[in-house]
mmCIF file of all heavy atoms in Angstrom:
data_model
loop_
_atom_site.group_PDB
_atom_site.id
_atom_site.type_symbol
_atom_site.label_atom_id
_atom_site.label_comp_id
_atom_site.label_asym_id
_atom_site.label_seq_id
_atom_site.Cartn_x
_atom_site.Cartn_y
_atom_site.Cartn_z
ATOM 1 N N ARG F 438 -0.631 -157.772 -79.991
ATOM 2 C CA ARG F 438 -1.026 -157.441 -81.350
ATOM 3 C C ARG F 438 0.157 -156.930 -82.164
ATOM 4 O O ARG F 438 0.309 -157.259 -83.379
ATOM 5 C CB ARG F 438 -2.140 -156.360 -81.289
ATOM 6 C CG ARG F 438 -2.755 -156.048 -82.637
ATOM 7 C CD ARG F 438 -4.023 -155.218 -82.459
ATOM 8 N NE ARG F 438 -3.770 -153.949 -81.827
ATOM 9 C CZ ARG F 438 -4.691 -153.099 -81.427
ATOM 10 N NH1 ARG F 438 -5.943 -153.428 -81.551
ATOM 11 N NH2 ARG F 438 -4.360 -151.976 -80.849
ATOM 12 N N ARG F 439 1.038 -156.132 -81.518
ATOM 13 C CA ARG F 439 2.197 -155.622 -82.225
ATOM 14 C C ARG F 439 3.144 -156.791 -82.555
ATOM 15 O O ARG F 439 3.694 -156.844 -83.666
ATOM 16 C CB ARG F 439 2.918 -154.573 -81.389
ATOM 17 C CG ARG F 439 4.111 -153.971 -82.080
ATOM 18 C CD ARG F 439 4.766 -152.947 -81.221
ATOM 19 N NE ARG F 439 5.937 -152.352 -81.941
ATOM 20 C CZ ARG F 439 6.712 -151.448 -81.392
ATOM 21 N NH1 ARG F 439 6.510 -150.975 -80.172
ATOM 22 N NH2 ARG F 439 7.761 -150.956 -82.092
ATOM 23 N N ALA F 440 3.335 -157.705 -81.604
ATOM 24 C CA ALA F 440 4.206 -158.839 -81.876
ATOM 25 C C ALA F 440 3.692 -159.685 -83.021
ATOM 26 O O ALA F 440 4.467 -160.147 -83.903
ATOM 27 C CB ALA F 440 4.338 -159.668 -80.629
ATOM 28 N N ALA F 441 2.347 -159.897 -83.062
ATOM 29 C CA ALA F 441 1.781 -160.680 -84.172
ATOM 30 C C ALA F 441 1.927 -159.957 -85.497
ATOM 31 O O ALA F 441 2.198 -160.635 -86.522
ATOM 32 C CB ALA F 441 0.281 -160.962 -83.860
ATOM 33 N N ALA F 442 1.769 -158.643 -85.467
ATOM 34 C CA ALA F 442 1.944 -157.877 -86.715
ATOM 35 C C ALA F 442 3.362 -157.917 -87.219
ATOM 36 O O ALA F 442 3.633 -158.041 -88.423
ATOM 37 C CB ALA F 442 1.487 -156.440 -86.482
ATOM 38 N N ILE F 443 4.335 -157.801 -86.322
ATOM 39 C CA ILE F 443 5.749 -157.912 -86.724
ATOM 40 C C ILE F 443 6.052 -159.261 -87.326
ATOM 41 O O ILE F 443 6.742 -159.399 -88.362
ATOM 42 C CB ILE F 443 6.660 -157.617 -85.492
ATOM 43 C CG1 ILE F 443 6.523 -156.158 -85.088
ATOM 44 C CG2 ILE F 443 8.111 -157.942 -85.811
ATOM 45 C CD1 ILE F 443 7.261 -155.802 -83.803
ATOM 46 N N ARG F 444 5.536 -160.309 -86.678
ATOM 47 C CA ARG F 444 5.810 -161.641 -87.202
ATOM 48 C C ARG F 444 5.154 -161.838 -88.587
ATOM 49 O O ARG F 444 5.765 -162.457 -89.515
ATOM 50 C CB ARG F 444 5.243 -162.700 -86.210
ATOM 51 C CG ARG F 444 5.521 -164.117 -86.697
ATOM 52 C CD ARG F 444 4.965 -165.121 -85.647
ATOM 53 N NE ARG F 444 5.198 -166.480 -86.112
ATOM 54 C CZ ARG F 444 4.767 -167.565 -85.434
ATOM 55 N NH1 ARG F 444 4.145 -167.422 -84.300
ATOM 56 N NH2 ARG F 444 5.052 -168.776 -85.922
ATOM 57 N N THR F 445 3.939 -161.348 -88.701
ATOM 58 C CA THR F 445 3.247 -161.428 -90.028
ATOM 59 C C THR F 445 4.009 -160.699 -91.116
ATOM 60 O O THR F 445 4.147 -161.181 -92.219
ATOM 61 C CB THR F 445 1.832 -160.867 -89.897
ATOM 62 O OG1 THR F 445 1.114 -161.629 -88.912
ATOM 63 C CG2 THR F 445 1.082 -160.977 -91.230
ATOM 64 N N PHE F 446 4.506 -159.514 -90.758
ATOM 65 C CA PHE F 446 5.264 -158.743 -91.734
ATOM 66 C C PHE F 446 6.550 -159.446 -92.153
ATOM 67 O O PHE F 446 6.904 -159.503 -93.330
ATOM 68 C CB PHE F 446 5.561 -157.380 -91.145
ATOM 69 C CG PHE F 446 6.339 -156.470 -92.065
ATOM 70 C CD1 PHE F 446 5.709 -155.741 -93.044
ATOM 71 C CD2 PHE F 446 7.744 -156.356 -91.969
ATOM 72 C CE1 PHE F 446 6.426 -154.918 -93.914
ATOM 73 C CE2 PHE F 446 8.462 -155.544 -92.828
ATOM 74 C CZ PHE F 446 7.782 -154.826 -93.783
ATOM 75 N N GLU F 447 7.260 -160.037 -91.179
ATOM 76 C CA GLU F 447 8.483 -160.752 -91.476
ATOM 77 C C GLU F 447 8.224 -161.994 -92.359
ATOM 78 O O GLU F 447 8.967 -162.282 -93.242
ATOM 79 C CB GLU F 447 9.167 -161.151 -90.186
ATOM 80 C CG GLU F 447 9.718 -159.955 -89.419
ATOM 81 C CD GLU F 447 10.316 -160.334 -88.055
ATOM 82 O OE1 GLU F 447 10.097 -161.513 -87.635
ATOM 83 O OE2 GLU F 447 11.034 -159.528 -87.437
ATOM 84 N N GLN F 448 7.159 -162.705 -92.031
ATOM 85 C CA GLN F 448 6.832 -163.873 -92.811
ATOM 86 C C GLN F 448 6.417 -163.474 -94.254
ATOM 87 O O GLN F 448 6.827 -164.154 -95.216
ATOM 88 C CB GLN F 448 5.661 -164.636 -92.187
ATOM 89 C CG GLN F 448 6.040 -165.382 -90.903
ATOM 90 C CD GLN F 448 4.860 -166.073 -90.277
ATOM 91 O OE1 GLN F 448 3.690 -165.796 -90.603
ATOM 92 N NE2 GLN F 448 5.134 -167.044 -89.414
ATOM 93 N N ARG F 449 5.744 -162.379 -94.398
ATOM 94 C CA ARG F 449 5.388 -161.914 -95.724
ATOM 95 C C ARG F 449 6.598 -161.474 -96.525
ATOM 96 O O ARG F 449 6.687 -161.793 -97.694
ATOM 97 C CB ARG F 449 4.371 -160.722 -95.578
ATOM 98 C CG ARG F 449 3.654 -160.344 -96.860
ATOM 99 C CD ARG F 449 2.659 -159.223 -96.616
ATOM 100 N NE ARG F 449 1.825 -158.970 -97.762
ATOM 101 C CZ ARG F 449 0.668 -159.547 -97.997
ATOM 102 N NH1 ARG F 449 0.202 -160.446 -97.132
ATOM 103 N NH2 ARG F 449 -0.033 -159.282 -99.103
ATOM 104 N N ALA F 450 7.541 -160.830 -95.874
ATOM 105 C CA ALA F 450 8.763 -160.423 -96.560
ATOM 106 C C ALA F 450 9.569 -161.642 -96.951
ATOM 107 O O ALA F 450 10.144 -161.675 -98.085
ATOM 108 C CB ALA F 450 9.563 -159.520 -95.628
ATOM 109 N N ALA F 451 9.620 -162.666 -96.097
ATOM 110 C CA ALA F 451 10.316 -163.889 -96.439
ATOM 111 C C ALA F 451 9.683 -164.633 -97.606
ATOM 112 O O ALA F 451 10.368 -165.155 -98.465
ATOM 113 C CB ALA F 451 10.426 -164.792 -95.194
ATOM 114 N N THR F 452 8.339 -164.672 -97.600
ATOM 115 C CA THR F 452 7.646 -165.300 -98.704
ATOM 116 C C THR F 452 7.932 -164.570 -100.006
ATOM 117 O O THR F 452 8.153 -165.211 -101.059
ATOM 118 C CB THR F 452 6.131 -165.306 -98.379
ATOM 119 O OG1 THR F 452 5.892 -166.052 -97.182
ATOM 120 C CG2 THR F 452 5.381 -165.949 -99.529
ATOM 121 N N THR F 453 7.902 -163.257 -99.998
ATOM 122 C CA THR F 453 8.183 -162.466 -101.191
ATOM 123 C C THR F 453 9.591 -162.742 -101.714
ATOM 124 O O THR F 453 9.788 -162.931 -102.914
ATOM 125 C CB THR F 453 8.028 -160.973 -100.897
ATOM 126 O OG1 THR F 453 6.700 -160.723 -100.441
ATOM 127 C CG2 THR F 453 8.328 -160.126 -102.089
ATOM 128 N N THR F 454 10.547 -162.866 -100.809
ATOM 129 C CA THR F 454 11.919 -163.139 -101.210
ATOM 130 C C THR F 454 12.046 -164.523 -101.879
ATOM 131 O O THR F 454 12.732 -164.667 -102.908
ATOM 132 C CB THR F 454 12.862 -163.046 -99.976
ATOM 133 O OG1 THR F 454 12.773 -161.760 -99.412
ATOM 134 C CG2 THR F 454 14.275 -163.364 -100.367
ATOM 135 N N ARG F 455 11.360 -165.497 -101.276
ATOM 136 C CA ARG F 455 11.429 -166.861 -101.868
ATOM 137 C C ARG F 455 10.774 -166.911 -103.236
ATOM 138 O O ARG F 455 11.234 -167.634 -104.131
ATOM 139 C CB ARG F 455 10.794 -167.847 -100.919
ATOM 140 C CG ARG F 455 11.517 -168.011 -99.581
ATOM 141 C CD ARG F 455 10.848 -169.056 -98.740
ATOM 142 N NE ARG F 455 10.966 -170.362 -99.337
ATOM 143 C CZ ARG F 455 10.480 -171.501 -98.791
ATOM 144 N NH1 ARG F 455 9.837 -171.415 -97.641
ATOM 145 N NH2 ARG F 455 10.619 -172.645 -99.423
ATOM 146 N N LEU F 456 9.667 -166.218 -103.413
ATOM 147 C CA LEU F 456 8.962 -166.220 -104.702
ATOM 148 C C LEU F 456 9.894 -165.534 -105.764
ATOM 149 O O LEU F 456 9.915 -165.990 -106.903
ATOM 150 C CB LEU F 456 7.654 -165.521 -104.610
ATOM 151 C CG LEU F 456 6.553 -166.232 -103.803
ATOM 152 C CD1 LEU F 456 5.312 -165.359 -103.605
ATOM 153 C CD2 LEU F 456 6.137 -167.536 -104.520
ATOM 154 N N ARG F 457 10.529 -164.448 -105.368
ATOM 155 C CA ARG F 457 11.408 -163.772 -106.335
ATOM 156 C C ARG F 457 12.607 -164.640 -106.665
ATOM 157 O O ARG F 457 13.073 -164.663 -107.841
ATOM 158 C CB ARG F 457 11.857 -162.434 -105.778
ATOM 159 C CG ARG F 457 10.701 -161.399 -105.774
ATOM 160 C CD ARG F 457 11.074 -160.110 -105.034
ATOM 161 N NE ARG F 457 10.008 -159.126 -105.171
ATOM 162 C CZ ARG F 457 9.893 -158.053 -104.404
ATOM 163 N NH1 ARG F 457 10.779 -157.847 -103.452
ATOM 164 N NH2 ARG F 457 8.911 -157.203 -104.577
ATOM 165 N N ALA F 458 13.108 -165.356 -105.676
ATOM 166 C CA ALA F 458 14.186 -166.289 -105.961
ATOM 167 C C ALA F 458 13.807 -167.410 -106.893
ATOM 168 O O ALA F 458 14.663 -167.921 -107.617
ATOM 169 C CB ALA F 458 14.755 -166.849 -104.644
ATOM 170 N N ALA F 459 12.548 -167.759 -106.854
ATOM 171 C CA ALA F 459 12.037 -168.813 -107.809
ATOM 172 C C ALA F 459 11.759 -168.264 -109.198
ATOM 173 O O ALA F 459 11.323 -169.039 -110.065
ATOM 174 C CB ALA F 459 10.759 -169.397 -107.234
ATOM 175 N N GLY F 460 12.027 -166.967 -109.427
ATOM 176 C CA GLY F 460 11.879 -166.439 -110.769
ATOM 177 C C GLY F 460 10.620 -165.643 -111.026
ATOM 178 O O GLY F 460 10.428 -165.131 -112.152
ATOM 179 N N ALA F 461 9.796 -165.422 -110.007
ATOM 180 C CA ALA F 461 8.565 -164.651 -110.180
ATOM 181 C C ALA F 461 8.799 -163.180 -109.786
ATOM 182 O O ALA F 461 9.607 -162.862 -108.936
ATOM 183 C CB ALA F 461 7.454 -165.239 -109.354
ATOM 184 N N THR F 462 8.056 -162.301 -110.472
ATOM 185 C CA THR F 462 8.019 -160.890 -110.077
ATOM 186 C C THR F 462 6.880 -160.694 -109.094
ATOM 187 O O THR F 462 5.766 -161.126 -109.400
ATOM 188 C CB THR F 462 7.828 -160.003 -111.303
ATOM 189 O OG1 THR F 462 8.913 -160.213 -112.222
ATOM 190 C CG2 THR F 462 7.778 -158.529 -110.928
ATOM 191 N N VAL F 463 7.156 -160.147 -107.959
ATOM 192 C CA VAL F 463 6.137 -159.979 -106.894
ATOM 193 C C VAL F 463 5.784 -158.515 -106.749
ATOM 194 O O VAL F 463 6.690 -157.689 -106.564
ATOM 195 C CB VAL F 463 6.629 -160.573 -105.577
ATOM 196 C CG1 VAL F 463 5.565 -160.458 -104.483
ATOM 197 C CG2 VAL F 463 6.996 -162.049 -105.744
ATOM 198 N N VAL F 464 4.483 -158.260 -106.798
ATOM 199 C CA VAL F 464 3.973 -156.898 -106.540
ATOM 200 C C VAL F 464 3.095 -156.980 -105.300
ATOM 201 O O VAL F 464 2.001 -157.608 -105.338
ATOM 202 C CB VAL F 464 3.157 -156.403 -107.758
ATOM 203 C CG1 VAL F 464 2.532 -155.021 -107.422
ATOM 204 C CG2 VAL F 464 4.041 -156.310 -108.994
ATOM 205 N N ASP F 465 3.546 -156.352 -104.241
ATOM 206 C CA ASP F 465 2.766 -156.362 -102.980
ATOM 207 C C ASP F 465 2.411 -154.919 -102.683
ATOM 208 O O ASP F 465 3.274 -154.131 -102.280
ATOM 209 C CB ASP F 465 3.619 -156.967 -101.841
ATOM 210 C CG ASP F 465 2.783 -157.239 -100.601
ATOM 211 O OD1 ASP F 465 1.565 -157.245 -100.704
ATOM 212 O OD2 ASP F 465 3.406 -157.452 -99.531
ATOM 213 N N ALA F 466 1.152 -154.542 -102.861
ATOM 214 C CA ALA F 466 0.776 -153.143 -102.779
ATOM 215 C C ALA F 466 -0.367 -152.934 -101.773
ATOM 216 O O ALA F 466 -1.010 -153.868 -101.319
ATOM 217 C CB ALA F 466 0.260 -152.660 -104.166
ATOM 218 N N VAL F 467 -0.553 -151.708 -101.374
ATOM 219 C CA VAL F 467 -1.563 -151.298 -100.445
ATOM 220 C C VAL F 467 -2.904 -151.240 -101.193
ATOM 221 O O VAL F 467 -2.937 -151.189 -102.421
ATOM 222 C CB VAL F 467 -1.267 -149.967 -99.774
ATOM 223 C CG1 VAL F 467 -0.033 -150.025 -98.934
ATOM 224 C CG2 VAL F 467 -1.161 -148.833 -100.837
ATOM 225 N N PRO F 468 -4.068 -151.268 -100.471
ATOM 226 C CA PRO F 468 -5.360 -151.138 -101.138
ATOM 227 C C PRO F 468 -5.406 -149.850 -102.010
ATOM 228 O O PRO F 468 -5.003 -148.810 -101.579
ATOM 229 C CB PRO F 468 -6.375 -151.067 -99.984
ATOM 230 C CG PRO F 468 -5.685 -151.778 -98.887
ATOM 231 C CD PRO F 468 -4.206 -151.487 -99.022
ATOM 232 N N GLY F 469 -5.908 -149.992 -103.185
ATOM 233 C CA GLY F 469 -5.941 -148.882 -104.123
ATOM 234 C C GLY F 469 -4.732 -148.741 -104.959
ATOM 235 O O GLY F 469 -4.748 -147.966 -105.945
ATOM 236 N N GLY F 470 -3.656 -149.457 -104.623
ATOM 237 C CA GLY F 470 -2.397 -149.328 -105.393
ATOM 238 C C GLY F 470 -2.028 -150.554 -106.187
ATOM 239 O O GLY F 470 -1.094 -150.479 -106.989
ATOM 240 N N LEU F 471 -2.777 -151.647 -105.993
ATOM 241 C CA LEU F 471 -2.413 -152.874 -106.704
ATOM 242 C C LEU F 471 -2.592 -152.750 -108.193
ATOM 243 O O LEU F 471 -1.750 -153.198 -109.013
ATOM 244 C CB LEU F 471 -3.255 -154.074 -106.149
ATOM 245 C CG LEU F 471 -3.022 -155.420 -106.778
ATOM 246 C CD1 LEU F 471 -1.577 -155.831 -106.571
ATOM 247 C CD2 LEU F 471 -3.974 -156.458 -106.201
ATOM 248 N N ALA F 472 -3.687 -152.150 -108.648
ATOM 249 C CA ALA F 472 -3.954 -152.036 -110.096
ATOM 250 C C ALA F 472 -2.829 -151.240 -110.742
ATOM 251 O O ALA F 472 -2.324 -151.631 -111.844
ATOM 252 C CB ALA F 472 -5.313 -151.413 -110.311
ATOM 253 N N ALA F 473 -2.462 -150.102 -110.163
ATOM 254 C CA ALA F 473 -1.417 -149.284 -110.753
ATOM 255 C C ALA F 473 -0.057 -150.008 -110.760
ATOM 256 O O ALA F 473 0.673 -149.962 -111.770
ATOM 257 C CB ALA F 473 -1.293 -147.981 -109.980
ATOM 258 N N ALA F 474 0.272 -150.710 -109.684
ATOM 259 C CA ALA F 474 1.575 -151.387 -109.619
ATOM 260 C C ALA F 474 1.617 -152.525 -110.618
ATOM 261 O O ALA F 474 2.659 -152.746 -111.291
ATOM 262 C CB ALA F 474 1.790 -151.941 -108.199
ATOM 263 N N LEU F 475 0.551 -153.284 -110.760
ATOM 264 C CA LEU F 475 0.559 -154.362 -111.766
ATOM 265 C C LEU F 475 0.607 -153.840 -113.208
ATOM 266 O O LEU F 475 1.207 -154.414 -114.091
ATOM 267 C CB LEU F 475 -0.702 -155.277 -111.560
ATOM 268 C CG LEU F 475 -0.592 -156.305 -110.462
ATOM 269 C CD1 LEU F 475 -1.891 -157.102 -110.359
ATOM 270 C CD2 LEU F 475 0.559 -157.268 -110.739
ATOM 271 N N SER F 476 -0.077 -152.687 -113.424
ATOM 272 C CA SER F 476 -0.047 -152.071 -114.740
ATOM 273 C C SER F 476 1.388 -151.675 -115.101
ATOM 274 O O SER F 476 1.836 -151.917 -116.220
ATOM 275 C CB SER F 476 -0.973 -150.865 -114.784
ATOM 276 O OG SER F 476 -2.327 -151.280 -114.585
ATOM 277 N N ASP F 477 2.067 -151.094 -114.132
ATOM 278 C CA ASP F 477 3.469 -150.711 -114.382
ATOM 279 C C ASP F 477 4.356 -151.944 -114.617
ATOM 280 O O ASP F 477 5.265 -151.905 -115.457
ATOM 281 C CB ASP F 477 4.003 -149.903 -113.194
ATOM 282 C CG ASP F 477 3.345 -148.525 -113.109
ATOM 283 O OD1 ASP F 477 2.855 -148.042 -114.115
ATOM 284 O OD2 ASP F 477 3.347 -147.948 -111.954
ATOM 285 N N ALA F 478 4.074 -153.024 -113.882
ATOM 286 C CA ALA F 478 4.867 -154.237 -114.076
ATOM 287 C C ALA F 478 4.645 -154.790 -115.499
ATOM 288 O O ALA F 478 5.602 -155.281 -116.137
ATOM 289 C CB ALA F 478 4.531 -155.262 -113.020
ATOM 290 N N TYR F 479 3.422 -154.756 -115.958
ATOM 291 C CA TYR F 479 3.113 -155.222 -117.319
ATOM 292 C C TYR F 479 3.816 -154.330 -118.341
ATOM 293 O O TYR F 479 4.447 -154.850 -119.303
ATOM 294 C CB TYR F 479 1.620 -155.200 -117.546
ATOM 295 C CG TYR F 479 1.219 -155.154 -118.978
ATOM 296 C CD1 TYR F 479 1.366 -156.274 -119.865
ATOM 297 C CD2 TYR F 479 0.728 -153.988 -119.553
ATOM 298 C CE1 TYR F 479 1.010 -156.167 -121.151
ATOM 299 C CE2 TYR F 479 0.377 -153.910 -120.884
ATOM 300 C CZ TYR F 479 0.496 -155.011 -121.717
ATOM 301 O OH TYR F 479 0.156 -154.947 -123.028
ATOM 302 N N LEU F 480 3.753 -153.021 -118.191
ATOM 303 C CA LEU F 480 4.402 -152.112 -119.125
ATOM 304 C C LEU F 480 5.911 -152.283 -119.117
ATOM 305 O O LEU F 480 6.556 -152.267 -120.183
ATOM 306 C CB LEU F 480 4.020 -150.690 -118.796
ATOM 307 C CG LEU F 480 2.552 -150.301 -119.053
ATOM 308 C CD1 LEU F 480 2.305 -148.871 -118.565
ATOM 309 C CD2 LEU F 480 2.185 -150.426 -120.522
#
């Protein structure tokens, strides 16, 4: 389970990096924090 979680985290970080390299702003937040993070990105 720990190995799968580490791999998932690494893949998610790599995906975020590729999306940012393509010109997008990426907000990856914990539950309850997505609305605040996106609001700040908009502002």
